[in-house]
Structures are given as C-alpha cells and as structure tokens.
Amino acid sequence: MSKFRGFIFDLDGVITDTAEYHYLGWKKLADEENMEFDREFNEKFRGVSRMECLDLLLEANDRKVTPEERKELAERKNNYYQEYLKNISKDNLLDGIEEILNNLKDKGYKLAIASASKNTSIVVGKLDIKDMFDTISDGHSVKKSKPAPDLFLYTAENLNLKPEECVVFEDAAAGVDAAIAANMIAVGIGPKKRVGHAHYQFDSVKEIKLGKIIKK
Ligand code: BG6
Ligand code: MG
C-alpha cells in the first residue's frame, strides 16, 4: 500500500468536459453585453468561482455594474450553462476517467470530488457517478474558493484523512495552487504552461499513469 489513502478529483475538466460549456455560457453572455471574451481569457476562469469569473470579465471590459446587475449577469450565465447541462450523460465522462476511478476503488482508496461549482450535484447526477465517491464537496462547501486550500482541506477532513495522505487531480492552475497550499500531492491535467507547476503533469486524463503516482 502506498502512503496515500485518498484521491480527490476536480469535476469540470477532469471527470467531464463541462469546462467547454462554462466557456460557451460566458461567451453568450459576453456577446449579448458587447464585452470582449475569448478562449484565451477563459483560461483564467478554470477552477475559479462564478462570481470571481464575472468580476474578471467586467474588469477586463471596464464595466461598472450595480450589485443587482452583477447578480443578474451571473444568473444569466448560469441559465445558459444549465441549458447545456440538460444534454449531458455518461457519454460526457472524459476518456479514461472511469478506468482510473474503478482501479483506485478496487485498490481500496477513498475517492472524493472537490469542485468550485455550485452545479456539482446536477452534473454528478447526469453522469450517474455519485455512488463511486465517499464524499463530494462543491461551491457551497466553503467560503474561500481555489486557489485557497480550504475546499481540499474540508474534503480531506470528510474523508477522515490527513492532507499528506491525499492526491488531487486538477485541470486548473488555481486548483493546482490550492492542492499544493493544502500540502497534498497535485496531479495536473493539461498543458505544462497551465499545470506544469504540479508534482505530476499529464496532457490528458487518458495519459495518466497511476503507477507513477502510487509508488511503493
Ligand atoms: C469550476 C470551473 O469547476 O466551477 C469554473 O472550472 C467555474 O470555470 C466554477 O466558474 C463555478 O461553477 P458554477 O457552476 O458554480 O458556476
Ligand atoms: Mg476544473
């Protein structure tokens, strides 16, 4: 048995491809509001809470809004996002993720989801994966979102594990930062320029080599 006992997975961009739907939701809102927004800017949104994303968008476009307008804009984006979610199913699991989850479960490790998203329960329900996890933390669980370590520490506590017994899988720079700040092992999924600062980096879920992480 390795020194690790629990594996914590981010949701959007690690378990499923919903990162794209977040992008499309923001893009639709930005177009309607005549705000500049592209895929490159969207990279800043990975792992970042809804309100913080909106603030980044408003700031980049020099837009001042009232608290009511801010709320309405965030709600509108979320409605668009939830429209896309209506069509998702098990087919939207990223290639290779089920094998990894089954493999870890068979080996007796505890499994968790820790996502910044307030839509986590909808997505998990659509993907039909709830039973695989010992605990699920989401955008409602803690106040300070990634890159703060809070969500991962809260998840470890729920798993009854020490931070150093946990490995985190993340596609976001902010998520890797959060895992490192929580004193956990960070596995970055995606390009080096985004998650190269993680302890391990793989270009995609399919390329993850569990053996490299779980050493004797
Ligand atoms: C994260 C995504 O998982 O959830 C972010 O990477 C997103 O892009 C965040 O902004 C919050 O999501 P939601 O569903 O609460 O708007
Ligand atoms: Mg993510």
Side-chain angles (χ1 to χ4, degrees):
M1 194 77 176
S2 79
K3 61 180 174 174
F4 305 120
R5 294 182 55 207
F7 287 77
I8 304 176
F9 293 81
D10 172 49
L11 179 66
D12 299 320
V14 171
I15 292 178
T16 177
D17 48 11
T18 38
E20 177 67 12
Y21 298 142
H22 278 294
Y23 164 73
L24 293 172
W26 286 119
K27 181 70 186 150
K28 191 158 179 197
L29 179 80
D31 286 351
E32 283 171 357
E33 293 294 320
N34 289 315
M35 290 192 279
E36 300 264 340
F37 181 69
D38 57 20
R39 285 187 183 274
E40 196 192 325
F41 195 73
N42 181 61
E43 282 298 304
K44 297 188 201 302
F45 287 11
R46 274 180 199 268
V48 174
S49 75
R50 192 184 312 160
M51 281 308 188
E52 285 170 302
C53 292
L54 177 60
D55 290 343
L56 288 171
L57 180 67
L58 293 171
E59 203 182 301
N61 283 276
D62 242 345
R63 272 278 295 269
K64 303 272 177 294
V65 294
T66 64
E68 293 73 33
E69 284 165 339
R70 184 170 172 259
K71 193 165 165 260
E72 187 278 322
L73 290 167
E75 270 173 20
R76 206 187 323 157
K77 182 270 169 176
N78 195 48
N79 290 340
Y80 297 147
Y81 178 60
Q82 290 189 343
E83 273 302 308
Y84 293 115
L85 292 185
K86 282 187 183 156
N87 300 319
I88 73 165
S89 69
K90 255 192 170 335
D91 291 346
N92 292 76
L93 285 168
L94 282 170
D95 234 12
I97 194 71
E98 269 195 298
E99 288 83 341
I100 288 175
L101 293 172
N102 286 326
N103 190 336
L104 290 170
K105 221 173 163 52
D106 288 348
K107 289 190 166 82
Y109 293 106
K110 291 186 179 175
L111 301 181
I113 290 177
S115 166
S117 173
K118 293 187 168 157
N119 290 293
T120 296
S121 63
I122 300 180
V123 175
V124 167
K126 288 266 182 190
L127 298 173
D128 195 17
I129 52 168
K130 188 168 184 277
D131 294 349
M132 303 221 58
F133 297 93
D134 297 284
T135 188
I136 296 177
S137 326
D138 65 14
H140 300 282
S141 303
V142 296
K143 279 209 191 85
K144 279 169 85 183
S145 48
K146 302 168 188 178
D150 302 35
L151 189 69
F152 292 134
L153 293 174
Y154 172 88
T155 307
E157 244 179 74
N158 283 340
L159 289 174
N160 240 322
L161 297 179
K162 297 191 197 104
E164 57 271 26
E165 293 174 319
C166 299
V167 176
V168 171
F169 291 83
E170 260 294 347
D171 71 312
V176 169
D177 292 341
I180 292 171
N183 198 23
M184 298 178 181
I185 293 297
V187 181
I189 315 294
K192 282 204 181 72
K193 67 171 194 260
R194 193 206 298 155
V195 291
H197 56 308
H199 297 97
Y200 299 91
Q201 177 268 341
F202 300 99
D203 291 341
S204 69
V205 173
K206 226 168 69 184
E207 267 133 316
I208 294 173
K209 303 261 183 304
L210 278 181
K212 269 196 174 180
I213 305 163
I214 316 170
K215 294 183 207 111
K216 305 279 141 28

